[in-house]
Amino acid sequence: MEISDKLRKALGPNATAFYSETKGLFIGRIELPSSDPKKRRRREFTAKDEGEFLRKARTLLNRYREAGDLATSSPTVRTWMTYWLENIAAKRVRPKTLAGYRSVVNRQIVEAIGNVKLEKLTGVHIRLVHDYITDNGGSSTYALNAHRVLSKALEDAVREGKINRNPAGLVDAPRKSRTQLQALDLNEAKVIIKRAFLALDAPIYDPEPVRWAAYLLTGQRRGEIIGLEWDRVGDLIDMSWQLQRLSEEELAAAPADFEWRDLDGYGLYWTRPKSEAGKRMLPVVAALSFLLEEHRKRVAPNPWGLVFTHKGRPIDPDWETKRWPKALAEMKVTNKKIRVHDLRHTAVDMLLEAGVPEDVVMELVGHSEVAMTRRYKDPTKMERRTQGMLQLSAFLNPDG
């Protein structure tokens, strides 16, 4: 079969086409740049009829003009996701976020559609990922997370000319499942605060109750409390560092702007919060100031300058998570299943119930994405935050 003049004109000087009688296909080849003059690189494509062939040719040639090159073959989802994790995502996100991406990719996305060619992906395949997760006991929230990770990776595949469009954008993302958050109520929170004060009078000092009280009296995250250093505690607490466990591989793969400090061989690192909202100066109210001052008198100095340790060693984040429910059971405060992170929710609830304005609460706990560094230098903002913490302190007064 002869190639029409219309088709020849559309192909231009960088492409050729012919019809294979034996295969019953139009076959096209686009010449591509090569770093080795002795080796030719070209992208081949086929179609059963001239109309379909023309559409494919125009699409590929447009991508070639935009990117200056084309992939000579389509990678599988497995190959692309591996490349994306190591060469694109690793330069963008923090180590723990990358570890989360890697888990989603290897345990969910690759298991569901890893062998599918990238250019063959459709909305059907995206739904297969959703179904794989929910059929294996995962929640719709897990499916939503996988959808978002896959969509990011496919968007980058579009940018790099691997595919024409992101098929994840053709499919509705799963809805986040609703969970009923558990939190301590006012009376339960007061019991924990009171135990911190009672611990100061015990014959043998147990520093744990003061640590639990610190969560409630600041509303801060696990890493921020266990990573708190004495030289960042004064009239204000500098909450610009948190303690995390990181592997050497995670550190090596961290983006260039990732800030960290080593705790000397424990596999624990102080790291900067991921957003400007996380870098906060927090007012220290009377109750917390008293507890920390008395706590400092009763504990031996440690080489890292940490406010809280366990048996003289830095507190591992995972150990803290496992220790809290046991401590809660020992204190017999409640039968509710409360995570250590839920102490943060309790602090927020108490701040709001004490009448602290919502925007001040957001600043205190670092929730607001629009909070900028300049806000923390504004005396008016600091006065409002101090008043907010005073309201919380009075609200949680164990004798009230």
Side-chain angles (χ1 to χ4, degrees):
M1 183 182 296
E2 290 292 326
I3 300 298
S4 69
D5 290 338
K6 178 181 179 182
L7 184 52
R8 291 184 190 279
K9 186 177 180 180
L11 291 173
N14 289 332
T16 57
F18 63 94
Y19 183 79
S20 171
E21 297 284 353
T22 56
K23 295 182 179 179
L25 292 172
F26 286 91
I27 300 175
R29 291 172 181 150
I30 301 174
E31 297 295 326
L32 302 172
S34 174
S35 57
D36 186 347
K38 296 181 180 179
K39 292 184 179 180
R40 297 177 67 183
R41 286 183 67 243
R42 56 192 182 187
R43 172 68 181 268
E44 189 169 291
F45 58 100
T46 62
K48 292 182 178 180
D49 61 71
E50 188 170 311
E52 180 189 0
F53 185 83
L54 188 57
R55 286 191 294 274
K56 282 189 176 182
R58 284 173 173 163
T59 296
L60 286 169
L61 286 167
N62 284 337
R63 283 167 51 188
Y64 177 54
R65 293 185 191 103
E66 290 173 3
D69 202 359
L70 291 172
T72 54
S73 62
S74 177
T76 62
V77 171
R78 184 191 308 274
T79 300
W80 172 252
M81 296 304 293
T82 300
Y83 172 86
W84 179 78
L85 284 170
E86 303 304 328
N87 296 279
I88 299 177
K91 293 179 173 62
R92 285 185 189 154
V93 300
R94 295 161 60 85
K96 288 300 181 185
T97 302
L98 183 65
Y101 282 3
R102 187 172 283 113
S103 176
V104 169
V105 168
N106 294 333
R107 296 182 183 181
Q108 299 171 347
I109 295 171
V110 165
E111 288 294 318
I113 58 170
N115 294 327
V116 179
K117 292 280 189 180
L118 206 60
E119 64 181 9
K120 299 291 185 183
L121 277 182
T122 66
V124 172
H125 296 105
I126 307 302
R127 292 189 191 94
L128 282 176
V129 175
H130 302 169
D131 294 343
Y132 176 85
I133 294 168
T134 55
D135 289 348
N136 284 278
S139 68
S140 60
T141 300
Y142 284 117
L144 173 60
N145 186 40
H147 180 96
R148 288 171 174 168
V149 172
L150 181 56
S151 183
K152 285 185 177 80
L154 294 178
E155 194 60 42
D156 286 319
V158 173
R159 291 194 187 98
E160 297 205 0
K162 303 296 182 184
I163 50 178
N164 296 331
R165 61 180 178 178
N166 183 351
L170 307 176
V171 177
D172 289 336
R175 294 190 176 186
K176 188 174 182 178
S177 56
R178 290 186 176 273
T179 55
Q180 186 66 41
L181 293 176
Q182 296 263 34
L184 299 172
D185 61 29
L186 173 59
N187 290 328
E188 291 165 343
K190 283 185 174 183
V191 169
I192 291 177
I193 300 293
K194 190 168 186 175
R195 283 183 177 273
F197 281 95
L198 291 174
L200 301 177
D201 295 326
I204 299 176
Y205 176 61
D206 178 5
E208 266 201 354
V210 173
R211 192 167 80 248
W212 306 136
Y215 281 100
L216 289 169
L217 289 169
T218 62
Q220 302 310 295
R221 299 174 180 87
R222 177 189 66 180
E224 292 163 337
I225 294 297
I226 63 175
L228 187 60
E229 300 161 275
W230 285 117
D231 64 5
R232 290 190 282 117
V233 177
D235 293 335
L236 302 173
I237 299 180
D238 178 0
M239 287 294 180
S240 60
W241 294 94
Q242 60 187 334
L243 199 62
Q244 290 186 313
R245 176 167 291 283
L246 298 172
S247 66
E248 291 182 5
E249 292 77 13
E250 287 173 325
L251 277 179
D257 61 352
F258 180 65
E259 293 183 72
W260 55 271
R261 293 186 287 129
D262 192 357
L263 261 75
D264 300 326
Y266 281 85
L268 297 172
Y269 299 84
W270 284 288
T271 67
R272 287 286 195 188
K274 60 185 177 182
S275 68
E276 288 300 317
K279 299 174 183 178
R280 298 179 304 290
M281 298 299 290
L282 192 70
V284 183
V285 293
L288 180 58
S289 178
F290 178 79
L291 287 172
L292 291 180
E293 286 176 9
E294 294 301 314
H295 166 74
R296 188 169 193 170
K297 295 174 185 176
R298 289 161 173 76
V299 294
N302 60 82
W304 314 277
L306 289 165
V307 174
F308 299 111
T309 59
H310 175 64
K311 296 182 178 179
R313 296 166 63 95
I315 298 172
D316 183 277
D318 291 337
W319 182 87
E320 181 84 334
T321 297
K322 294 174 183 176
R323 174 59 193 151
W324 162 248
K326 295 177 182 177
L328 189 62
E330 291 166 5
M331 290 187 286
K332 299 180 180 179
V333 174
T334 180
N335 291 323
K336 290 183 286 190
K337 292 182 178 179
I338 307 288
R339 304 168 303 168
V340 68
H341 187 76
D342 295 331
L343 293 174
R344 179 170 163 83
H345 297 312
T346 298
V348 170
D349 289 344
M350 297 300 113
L351 281 163
L352 293 172
E353 197 170 339
V356 180
E358 187 173 297
D359 64 315
V360 179
V361 175
M362 289 181 175
E363 290 181 19
L364 286 168
V365 301
H367 273 164
S368 176
E369 292 183 355
V370 299
M372 299 297 179
T373 305
R374 61 180 173 80
R375 289 189 174 183
Y376 304 113
K377 297 177 181 178
D378 185 338
T380 304
K381 292 287 183 182
M382 186 56 69
E383 286 172 13
R384 296 183 73 207
R385 264 182 270 151
T386 300
Q387 182 59 36
M389 293 307 291
L390 286 168
Q391 287 173 251
L392 175 63
S393 183
F395 197 63
L396 285 175
N397 185 341
D399 297 322

